Amino acid sequence: TGRKHLAEMIESASVVLPFTGAGISTECGIPDFRSPGGLWTKNAPIPFGEFVASREMRDEAWRRRFVIEEQFGAAQPGRGHRALASLYRIGKAPAVVTQNIDNLHQASGVPEDDVVELHGNTTYALCLSCGRRYEVAWVKERFEVTDHAPDCTSCGGYIKTATVSFGQAMPEAAMRRAEALTLRCDLFLAIGSSLVVWPAAGFPMLAKRNGARLVILNREPTEFDEVADLVVHADIGNVLAPFVTH
Ligand code: OAD
Ligand code: ZN
């Protein structure tokens, strides 16, 4: 079966690179983006240009962020996160590359420096002008007082969750690191992603072209299934649970 092959492939690989999407966190109570009930299924994303162009949009973006705080704030790592943390701990995986913004790979014990976040992190916020860091709870408190999203207390800049919106530049260091890791691995595990958002979706093919084996673990088909060495259409937590070693 697919699961048995996955275990063998991980066993025989020397460098495994996990690359994750929102599907790894759904069992933790965090919705993904494109499934029924997903964040973009409910509301179209607010592009970066609209965020910076209007106060109404900034307020709306923050209101939406407060709505999901209950889920993000309470979430604990799931079986998938713990399995990948186990692969990291035993030295199989040098890092985890993620499109996720939920901080759960860090929470599962992978050191912050080895979680490569391609789309940033929604558990804190940054001033877009000076980079000053703010906590979501502080933004929420200010919002409740003024009924608007607060601006930076140092420079007056706009405060935004530390995520990468459509139209916003990709984090260069993370992109370079993800590329180097992709070129170093001999087994690339694409887990829980629809693989439709670029440039992130380019990494599985980069690994493949570089000679690595490619595994896709996702409930639904992706457009890269046909080039993968192994495709597992099943629940991530169930499939990865056997790899949890601590
Ligand atoms: P998507 O919502 O596009 O895809 C998640 C995939 O995970 C879907 O194909 C689901 O079928 C699958 N899935 C969900 N739960 C699963 C489970 N328990 N077991 C197996 N499969 C499961 O999310 P991403 O591909 O991560 O960017 O989305 C990519 C980017 O689009 C995100 O990083 C986000 C969004 O715009 C930003 O927020 C900047
Ligand atoms: Zn500032």
Side-chain angles (χ1 to χ4, degrees):
T1 69
R3 295 172 195 214
K4 181 154 166 276
H5 282 123
L6 177 59
E8 287 165 1
M9 286 169 87
I10 290 174
E11 179 66 34
S12 64
S14 40
V15 181
V16 176
L17 185 64
F19 169 89
T20 63
I24 198 172
S25 298
T26 52
E27 76 170 14
C28 312
I30 294 176
D32 65 12
F33 293 92
R34 293 172 182 81
S35 294
L39 291 176
W40 298 163
T41 315
K42 286 190 175 157
N43 289 303
I46 298 173
F48 186 66
E50 293 184 24
F51 183 94
V52 295
S54 102
R55 188 188 202 195
E56 281 69 40
M57 276 300 174
R58 291 191 290 282
D59 289 350
E60 174 62 16
W62 275 106
R63 268 188 228 104
R64 290 185 195 178
R65 178 60 186 80
F66 302 144
V67 169
I68 57 175
E69 177 56 18
E70 216 172 301
Q71 286 131 33
F72 279 89
Q76 297 295 322
R79 293 169 295 172
H81 301 98
R82 291 169 54 213
L84 300 183
S86 296
L87 293 182
Y88 177 86
R89 226 169 58 139
I90 64 174
K92 269 280 175 190
V96 175
V97 175
T98 189
Q99 301 169 83
N100 296 346
I101 54 177
D102 55 27
N103 212 56
L104 289 179
H105 289 298
Q106 292 92 329
S108 73
V110 180
E112 193 176 295
D113 286 351
D114 287 328
V115 179
V116 180
E117 294 179 322
L118 297 177
H119 294 161
N121 191 308
T122 196
T123 64
Y124 61 94
L126 295 172
C127 168
L128 290 175
S129 302
C130 75
R132 180 167 173 175
R133 180 180 164 133
Y134 290 89
E135 299 313 313
V136 173
W138 180 86
V139 176
K140 186 158 188 277
E141 265 172 45
R142 297 307 308 155
F143 198 112
E144 278 161 5
V145 174
T146 63
D147 210 29
H148 289 292
D151 293 329
C152 179
T153 56
S154 303
C155 79
Y158 304 143
I159 299 172
K160 181 180 169 294
T161 54
T163 49
V164 179
S165 297
F166 289 106
Q168 191 172 7
M170 292 293 287
E172 279 178 39
M175 283 298 286
R176 277 197 301 271
R177 181 106 187 272
E179 185 181 334
L181 285 160
T182 298
L183 295 174
R184 211 180 114 197
C185 75
D186 60 352
L187 179 60
F188 188 101
L189 304 178
I191 300 170
S193 176
S194 59
L195 302 176
V196 297
V197 175
W198 292 77
F203 289 110
M205 275 312 291
L206 179 63
K208 188 67 194 147
R209 281 201 305 272
N210 192 51
R213 296 214 271 179
L214 172 62
V215 173
I216 296 178
L217 168 54
N218 200 57
R219 200 149 55 196
E220 290 173 322
T222 75
E223 72 171 282
F224 297 101
D225 285 9
E226 59 191 39
V227 300
D229 296 275
L230 174 66
V231 177
V232 184
H233 289 157
D235 179 73
I236 293 162
N238 288 340
V239 173
L240 294 183
F243 298 95
V244 177
T245 58
H246 67 288

